[in-house]
Amino acid sequence: MRFDSPRTILQGAGSRHQLHTYIEYSKKILIVTDSYLASSGILPKLDNAIIFSGVQPDPTDTNVAEGFDLATNHHADTIIAMGGGSPIDCAKAIRHRLGKAQLIAIPTTAGTGSEATPVMVITDETAGVKRMTRDHSLLPDVAIVDHELSATMPRPLTAHVGVDTLTHGMEAYVSQKRHNLSNSMAVHCIERCHKYLRRAWLNGNDMEAREGMAIAALEGGLAFGNSSVALVHGMSRPLGALFHIPHGLSNAVLLAEVTRFSFEGAEHLYNEIAAFLHLKPGLNNLIQYLENLNRDLEVPRLRDCCNNDLDLFNQLIPKMAHDALASGSPANNPRVPTAEQIEAIYRAAW
Ligand SMILES: [Fe+2]
């Protein structure tokens, strides 16, 4: 068993103000972010930093190349990633190509947990595929989890990344790569989602709930970064690549149907998850919970994310099933599906 995490994790309101401690010896810094955050005025103001704000949602290999050129020309020895999963993943790829540079991740959405994982997802534009890479060198050195940064997340984003967080906890817990320490993180991630997700969605200024979800996201990242994600994430990436559904939402629309399929592969583990969610055991209770959660948080249906274009969806199902299997994530699922079974789950989730 092995458990990896950032060297340092700062957590708490205002912890972002301790950033300077970790860049004391940095000569040149590249801040990787998106255009929204760049214009928001919350980026750290540093004399020796330049800003790369060209990261798009679902970062591409082109974004990475651009950021890498900037970092090289600037001789950056520190990369600060600030934003949701997209800037953080892009920064991981840039640091990976640079070789030696310190990576500090400051998440502004409570969701992906990317600040604490050795995993990134970068879209290969030529192939039309979202590629997941896992490598120890991708793990950020420092993660600064300051939930004050997530307080302005709008309701839909809170819902989508929140259900993604729950998905991380559940998938890590049932994964074939589960182990004792990843389980500890997964259990607390799931329990915190149960306690805080609805509250954070109902009232974005409920700072106790925002903090709860920020910690849940961190725990979810530590859980699946050391265990793995599974079939939900395997099936969601093709939806992101082909229909441009954001990461969190693409998982949220699949979670219930994938759980229905996977349950028989690890009944006792899913029943434990039901208990963490204060439910009685049984598939139906768990499915009901997940469906109610999506309904209450106003998560759209898959069909709404695909412009209700069933013909196009059906046409792309074989490619999506193929790409899902090729990603490797379904092999970690407690019940390993065939391509035909994945196709059936896509149809059921529609
Ligand atoms: Fe995720």
Side-chain angles (χ1 to χ4, degrees), residues 83-96:
S86 299
I88 296 177
D89 282 11
C90 187
K92 286 175 173 176
I94 295 168
R95 196 273 289 265
H96 186 66

Side-chain angles (χ1 to χ4, degrees), residues 28 30 67-79 91-102:
K28 298 281 185 182
L30 178 74
F68 172 74
D69 286 346
L70 270 179
T72 310
N73 295 337
H74 188 57
H75 301 291
D77 56 12
T78 295
I79 313 279
K92 286 175 173 176
I94 295 168
R95 196 273 289 265
H96 186 66
R97 282 182 64 177
L98 279 177
K100 277 195 183 137
Q102 177 182 226

Side-chain angles (χ1 to χ4, degrees), residues 112 164 168 224 233 247 251:
T112 65
D164 186 34
H168 295 158
F224 87 78
H233 276 73
H247 175 83
N251 286 306

Side-chain angles (χ1 to χ4, degrees), residues 18 32 41 63 73 110 118 135 139 156 188 195 200 205 221 223 234 245 269 273 286 303 308 317 319 331 350:
Q18 292 173 49
V32 179
N63 294 158
N73 295 337
D135 189 293
L139 197 61
H188 286 101
K195 194 167 173 193
N205 294 316
I245 306 173
L269 297 180
I273 290 174
L286 193 52
R303 66 190 69 162
N308 280 292
I317 279 182
K319 174 175 167 53
W350 177 258

